Amino acid sequence: MNITPIYKQALEHPIFDIVSQAADNLKIDSYVIGGFVRDFLLQRDSKKDIDIVAIGSGIELALEVSRLLPNHPKVQVFKNYGTAMLRYLDIDVEFVGARKESYHFDSRKPVVEDGTLQDDQNRRDFTINALALSLNKSNYGQLLDPFNGVNDLENKIIRTPLDPDITFSDDPLRMMRAIRFACQLNFIIEQESLDAITRNHERLNIISGERIVEELNKILQTPTPSSGFLLLYKTGLLDLILPELTALNQVEEIEGHTHKNNFYHTLEVVDNISRNTQDLWLRWAALLHDIGKAPTKRFTKKNGWTFHGHEFLGGKMVKKIFTRLHMPLNQKMKFVQKMVTMSSRPVVLSQKEVTDSAVRRLVFDAGENVDDLMILCEADITTKNPNKFKKYHNNFKLVREKIVEVEQRDQVRNFQPPISGEQIMQTFGLTPCREIGSIKEAIKEAILEGVIANEYEAAYAYMLDKASKMGLERVNK
């Protein structure tokens, strides 16, 4: 068998010999295609899945492969899509019959017909994803590259196999995929394909929020997300997806007073935070932390430009964005809301004398997320003045040290006041009423202000004193 050593190495996994044998049993041709081949040639860690295209029934090929494998792994069949999947040695192997597709303009669902390998490669999104390796005994391991995808890999270019206007109009999500691949691989989108994204960007409106967010998440998880978001912005896609973000791309001047461009500032913050955390939802918080600034922007002669309450409004806007894009309305959303709402708290704290009471309140309100909040706020430092940059980071260092000191001493992170509402009711013979809440709040405030220690005896004595001033008498001593 005449096979180039590099491609032989690509096919070392035992699944390929099994697929080859199964295809031969069925007297059909088969190929491994797409991301597996691309990532192998890039010497890039590939996600653990393999796409097999059969010139015939992909489902029958999957069933035959399962029959030949030890323990006959279960085959998941998706009849509506003509695909099947099985898992072998921690790798997902997906099988599909070669097909050609045609689209109606008002739909992203194709009319599918059986096709040749060439038809299947024609329908691929980019040349670098149309690469295939033969699994047939006659030419096992031969690379089939009809669109010079290897050349595009070497030149770091994203390009569509056929007319980009047709490629992007047929499946508009491919526009986001082009940008995502450019961002992930540090490639450049070839100019004709980039221009076609701009021309066809409105077509994204037919794509579901879930599919859009899947691509956004992948862009956010790259080392430098700003490169992807800048391409989304320049092609018009970002205005369809996150108009709250593009609204920040403006700078006004009144009477010689200007404010910074909060859009480009936001992209810097996202890049900054990406160097310090892999947490997707903290990266989302960085992306959305200033979205309240556009609707709250005001100018007065006395104060110049202000954005009063932008954090609070931004937190409310988070839920609207998550709802619109069909993102999870669960603890992940609440975390992003919390980070956006509190995003200025440590900043304000770092500009003043760092008092124990202020730090206690910060730790109490942020709870288990106080470290995430500090990471966000440190990423928010984008000044180009080296003296200011050093000063701000030194101030945040002091805040971090104070957080550790106060937490070790006062233990206020996620603390519950030592006196419960039930105990207040029993002590003073009360039924549910406003006074119980007032006493509990007074105890909490006294602890946060450092008036009393965060311990039962001090809180109990403070409760008795507070209740006495309210005219309440103890009935249970």
Side-chain angles (χ1 to χ4, degrees):
M1 224 177 279
N2 184 16
I3 174 171
T4 308
I6 185 173
Y7 301 136
K8 186 176 182 180
Q9 185 183 349
L11 301 179
E12 283 181 348
H13 195 284
I15 189 65
F16 295 116
D17 284 337
I18 299 294
V19 173
S20 180
Q21 182 61 55
D24 192 56
N25 293 349
L26 297 173
K27 295 181 169 38
I28 61 175
D29 289 341
S30 63
Y31 305 85
V32 56
I33 195 168
F36 174 86
V37 183
R38 177 200 70 225
D39 288 344
F40 173 79
L41 292 174
L42 287 172
Q43 297 183 316
R44 180 172 179 257
D45 286 338
S46 178
K47 54 187 182 178
K48 291 188 175 181
D49 60 12
I50 294 171
D51 292 326
I52 303 292
V53 62
I55 313 306
S57 170
I59 295 174
E60 287 183 18
L61 180 58
L63 293 170
E64 179 67 8
V65 168
S66 175
R67 189 183 71 79
L68 295 177
L69 285 172
N71 301 321
H72 311 305
K74 181 182 178 182
V75 177
Q76 291 181 277
V77 175
F78 308 94
K79 285 188 178 180
N80 290 343
Y81 299 96
T83 64
M85 179 183 291
L86 60 80
R87 189 166 181 82
Y88 177 62
L89 298 179
D90 295 326
I91 289 182
D92 291 325
V93 188
E94 184 169 348
F95 300 82
V96 63
R99 60 186 190 261
K100 54 184 176 181
E101 299 176 343
S102 58
Y103 290 79
H104 297 296
F105 183 78
D106 59 349
S107 173
R108 54 184 166 82
K109 294 182 179 179
V111 177
V112 179
E113 302 174 66
D114 292 341
T116 64
L117 175 66
Q118 184 178 359
D119 290 329
D120 203 86
Q121 288 175 305
N122 286 345
R123 73 178 182 84
R124 298 282 162 170
D125 49 8
F126 309 114
T127 61
I128 63 173
N129 291 334
L131 298 163
L133 288 174
S134 172
L135 299 179
N136 307 310
K137 293 188 181 298
S138 60
N139 60 346
Y140 189 86
Q142 179 183 339
L143 179 69
L144 295 102
D145 180 15
F147 306 111
N148 294 316
V150 170
N151 191 55
D152 286 343
L153 281 179
E154 291 172 350
N155 294 311
K156 298 189 173 184
I157 288 174
I158 304 293
R159 180 167 59 89
T160 61
L162 304 177
D163 182 339
D165 284 305
I166 295 174
T167 297
F168 294 141
S169 182
D170 281 351
D171 184 353
L173 191 69
R174 289 170 174 167
M175 297 185 286
M176 291 193 70
R177 282 172 56 82
I179 291 170
R180 186 251 293 180
F181 278 121
C183 197
Q184 279 182 333
L185 303 176
N186 196 24
F187 279 26
I188 293 172
I189 301 175
E190 168 265 338
Q191 192 61 48
E192 186 180 352
S193 297
L194 188 63
D195 291 342
I197 293 175
T198 304
R199 287 192 297 271
N200 291 278
H201 76 275
E202 292 281 354
R203 288 280 289 159
L204 192 70
N205 284 321
I206 70 170
I207 300 296
S208 69
E210 291 91 343
R211 295 182 76 204
I212 288 172
V213 167
E214 185 177 351
E215 294 300 322
L216 279 181
N217 287 345
K218 290 176 180 178
I219 291 171
L220 268 175
Q221 288 170 312
T222 62
T224 312
S226 65
S227 60
F229 281 93
L230 281 171
L231 284 171
L232 290 173
Y233 175 71
K234 290 174 181 177
T235 54
L237 293 171
L238 191 59
D239 204 37
L240 299 176
I241 304 166
L242 287 171
E244 298 87 350
L245 193 59
T246 60
L248 299 174
N249 189 17
Q250 53 176 303
V251 177
E252 290 187 64
E253 180 176 347
I254 296 179
E255 297 181 7
H257 294 274
T258 60
H259 58 83
K260 68 184 174 186
N261 186 307
N262 287 300
F263 174 72
Y264 288 98
H265 161 74
T266 293
L267 297 188
E268 281 191 75
V269 174
V270 174
D271 283 352
N272 286 346
I273 207 165
S274 298
R275 287 190 281 271
N276 294 307
T277 182
Q278 297 296 318
D279 188 326
L280 171 64
W281 302 105
L282 191 49
R283 293 186 182 200
W284 264 105
L287 185 69
L288 302 180
H289 82 284
D290 268 351
I291 54 172
K293 282 192 170 179
T296 59
K297 184 173 67 174
R298 302 288 185 271
F299 178 82
T300 63
K301 290 184 178 181
K302 181 180 179 182
N303 299 314
W305 291 105
T306 62
F307 306 91
H308 292 314
H310 76 270
E311 307 95 332
F312 177 73
L313 180 60
K316 295 175 70 175
M317 292 169 71
V318 165
K319 185 174 183 180
K320 293 180 180 178
I321 291 170
F322 272 52
T323 302
R324 186 179 72 233
L325 293 177
H326 304 285
M327 294 173 70
L329 303 180
N330 55 17
Q331 292 303 317
K332 293 170 182 175
M333 180 204 71
K334 290 178 180 177
F335 169 78
V336 175
Q337 277 188 308
K338 186 177 186 179
M339 293 297 98
V340 171
T341 302
M342 296 191 67
S343 59
S344 293
R345 288 274 295 276
V347 178
V348 173
L349 192 59
S350 69
Q351 294 169 349
K352 301 177 180 179
E353 181 184 351
V354 186
T355 64
D356 285 6
S357 62
V359 171
R360 273 191 293 268
R361 288 187 179 279
L362 177 70
V363 174
F364 175 77
D365 291 340
E368 63 185 10
N369 305 126
V370 68
D371 296 325
D372 295 320
L373 182 60
M374 292 303 298
I375 291 172
L376 173 59
C377 291
E378 286 166 342
D380 203 7
I381 302 171
T382 60
T383 177
K384 301 303 179 287
N385 182 313
N387 292 328
K388 286 185 177 179
F389 185 87
K390 183 177 180 180
K391 176 186 175 184
Y392 293 153
H393 274 282
N394 284 340
N395 287 351
F396 277 124
K397 184 180 178 183
L398 292 174
V399 174
R400 280 185 175 277
E401 291 172 353
K402 199 73 172 179
I403 287 172
V404 172
E405 177 191 327
V406 167
E407 172 63 11
Q408 287 178 343
R409 186 183 66 235
D410 300 332
Q411 299 178 338
V412 295
R413 190 184 304 207
N414 294 324
F415 95 104
Q416 294 295 324
I419 303 296
S420 67
E422 289 76 10
Q423 188 168 4
I424 296 171
M425 293 169 66
Q426 291 173 3
T427 303
F428 301 102
L430 298 173
T431 56
C433 60
R434 184 178 58 187
E435 284 78 6
I436 298 167
S438 297
I439 294 172
K440 282 188 68 178
E441 182 67 19
I443 294 170
K444 184 194 83 173
E445 288 294 315
I447 292 170
L448 294 178
E449 286 297 321
V451 175
I452 62 173
N454 183 19
E455 58 186 27
Y456 176 80
E457 291 79 6
Y460 188 83
Y462 191 83
M463 172 192 72
L464 295 178
D465 182 62
K466 180 68 177 176
S468 175
K469 291 175 181 177
M470 295 171 65
L472 299 175
E473 293 185 4
R474 186 167 38 161
V475 296
N476 184 5
K477 298 184 181 182

